[in-house]
Each structure stands twice: as C-alpha cells, then as structure tokens.
Amino acid sequence: MAEPDGCILYSTADWDTPYWTNKQHMTVDFARRGIRVLYVETVGIRRPKLASGRDLTRILRRLWKAARGMRRVDDNVWVLSPLSIPVGRKFGVIGSFNSFLLRNSVRVASLRLGFASPMTWTYHPYLPDLDRSRTGPLVYHCVDDIAAVPGVDATTYARLEEALVAKSDLTFVTSPGLYELWRKAGPHVHYLPNAVDVGHFAKARDLKPTLDLSSATGPVIGYIGALSDFKVDFKLVLDAVRLRPDWTWVFIGDEREGQRSDDV
C-alpha cells in the first residue's frame, strides 16, 4: 500500500446540498489539515422518479455540473460531478458502464491534481476498480443503512457493501445497529458515533428569532433537520400529536429529495 498524497472522497450527496452531513464535514476537516480532497458527488444511488419535478431538475443540474468538469470550491477541496445511469444497476452492462465512466473521470481529475497514491474514503460501495498497489488506505464510512432507503436497489447494494467492508482497511459505523451488522467482518470495523458542529449551532445565540413561539401552549416539542420518512417514524409522531393536542409541535426542515409522506 502506497503512502497517500491526497484523498478521493466518494459521497452520497452533492457538495452544495442544503443539509451538510458527515461527507462535507469530513472533507472540510481533511482540507484544514492540509490534505487535498477530491470530493466525488453522488453517483445516483437512488432510482429517480421521472414524475418528480425535483428529480428531473436534479438530473438536469447534474448534466450541467458534469459538463463543467472538476471545480475548486475551497482551499484544498475540488468537486467532481460524475455522470452515471442511476437505474438498472442489477444489470451487469449498466454497472460496468457506470464503473467505466466513474473510473475515467476520477482518473483524469487525479492526474490534474497530481495524485499518485490517494486515500479512498467512501460512503457507498459503487466504486471503480482500485489498484491497491498504487492507492493509499481504503476507508468505508458507513453512516446509514442505505439499502433500506426507498428507491435503492437493495439486493445489489447489500452485495456490494458486504464486499466493500471485507476489503476495506478501516470501516467506521455510526450506530450500534450498524456495528452489530458489520463487526463480524473483522477487527477493522469500529464504532464511531456521529458528532455535532458545536460552533455552527452556537451561532443561534446571536441570531434574532424568526419563529414566534410566545403564544405556544404546553410543552414545546421541537425537531430540526431533514424530514425523512425512513429515518423518522412520522406515524408514531402523528399518534403522539393526537394524544397531546395541548402541546405545541414544531418541525423545521424540508422533505428529502424523492420522498413524500402524507403524514408530514
């Protein structure tokens, strides 16, 4: 294994998504430590809904960003928007074609950045073939049970994820459930729980409130974040709301792309 001279980070989210998560924060942290990072945006893990205006807009935006090529977005951070076919991954020909597109676009970007043996830090298993003699460590940061996300080809994803965990040098998981799922793969699997950006949320102390809750009755139950129906049991929340009509319930956030819950 070669000594890494940079990092290629394969994300499940675009760089400019309104909700920053582990992917962007890890990238920024690497960059602050002087590590140059090629941030590879999502390769289209979830099957798009052609009837969804949001999905169609996202596809058009991806085509435009891919045409622009690699772009620098911050000190030591470059973003690549690869093209891929997000449907039919269980068919070998489509998977091979996507791997070809990804491999070549990343190779060109790596040459431009002068990477000779970059570390691979990934959030999904849809990776191009890696020449381990010319690359640094392979790290899988498992932050979600993505196979359970609506629209994902669960069978194909689970098969590739199992292979990724087996061959990775390190696998970090963010929940006890994920750790129980993968710990049998070997001692290279570690439980690394999510953290919080204290500096970011501390700014709320200096902001003028935009939501007036002075007339709120009873306890105020608040939630801030993505309104994702595969992460939050909204039916359970709705039942609780009906049982406690004298309480005030506040939800701040947007529904995630490709999702629509009547309970929300």
Side-chain angles (χ1 to χ4, degrees):
M1 184 186 302
E3 185 71 21
D5 58 357
C7 175
I8 300 177
L9 187 144
Y10 293 90
S11 177
T12 54
D14 288 348
W15 174 258
D16 54 1
T17 182
Y19 294 104
W20 270 31
T21 57
N22 314 66
K23 302 90 180 176
Q24 292 91 347
H25 287 298
M26 288 301 302
T27 297
V28 170
D29 192 66
F30 284 144
R32 287 173 180 166
R33 297 170 186 268
I35 302 172
R36 294 181 301 150
V37 182
L38 175 63
Y39 183 99
V40 183
E41 293 188 320
T42 178
V43 293
I45 294 171
R46 178 183 59 81
R47 183 174 60 254
K49 298 178 180 178
L50 297 181
S52 167
R54 184 180 296 182
D55 278 8
L56 289 175
T57 299
R58 186 165 176 267
I59 290 172
L60 293 175
R61 186 171 66 246
R62 167 51 62 89
L63 290 172
W64 177 73
K65 289 199 296 184
R68 293 170 59 193
M70 182 179 69
R71 61 196 186 278
R72 184 171 182 172
V73 295
D74 206 343
D75 291 341
N76 288 331
V77 180
W78 288 261
V79 172
L80 181 67
S81 304
L83 290 175
S84 66
I85 302 175
V87 295
R89 290 188 180 276
K90 62 183 177 181
F91 301 110
V93 63
I94 294 180
S96 297
F97 184 66
N98 283 336
S99 183
F100 169 80
L101 290 175
L102 183 61
R103 180 174 62 252
N104 282 278
S105 60
V106 169
R107 181 179 297 168
V108 171
S110 296
L111 288 173
R112 288 182 58 190
L113 292 173
F115 286 167
S117 55
M119 171 177 64
T120 300
W121 188 287
T122 186
Y123 289 87
H124 64 79
Y126 293 122
L127 301 178
D129 294 332
L130 301 175
D131 183 352
R132 300 308 303 280
S133 66
R134 295 185 178 182
T135 60
L138 170 60
V139 180
Y140 176 37
H141 196 176
C142 181
V143 299
D144 272 314
D145 182 7
I146 294 180
V149 175
V152 172
D153 180 352
T155 301
T156 300
Y157 192 95
R159 172 175 55 82
L160 294 176
E161 185 178 32
E162 183 176 5
L164 173 61
V165 173
K167 68 183 179 183
S168 68
D169 297 296
L170 282 172
T171 290
F172 295 118
V173 298
T174 58
S175 73
L178 290 172
Y179 182 68
E180 287 302 313
L181 179 64
W182 295 119
R183 66 185 180 88
K184 294 180 181 179
H188 67 293
V189 178
H190 301 275
Y191 172 47
L192 184 67
N194 284 319
V196 65
D197 186 345
V198 176
H200 172 73
F201 285 100
K203 295 176 183 177
R205 300 173 184 268
D206 304 321
L207 298 177
K208 184 178 180 180
T210 58
L211 183 64
D212 184 7
L213 296 176
S214 59
S215 61
T217 60
V220 177
I221 312 299
Y223 172 86
I224 300 176
L227 302 179
S228 175
D229 56 5
F230 72 92
K231 291 185 177 181
V232 180
D233 188 340
F234 286 112
K235 185 180 184 305
L236 178 63
V237 173
L238 187 58
D239 289 341
V241 170
R242 288 168 173 161
L243 287 171
R244 294 290 184 269
D246 53 325
W247 292 5
T248 297
W249 302 77
V250 182
F251 296 87
I252 301 175
D254 294 325
E255 288 183 297
R256 296 300 294 267
E257 60 189 31
Q259 297 177 33
R260 181 68 182 88
S261 171
D262 290 335
D263 290 329
V264 176

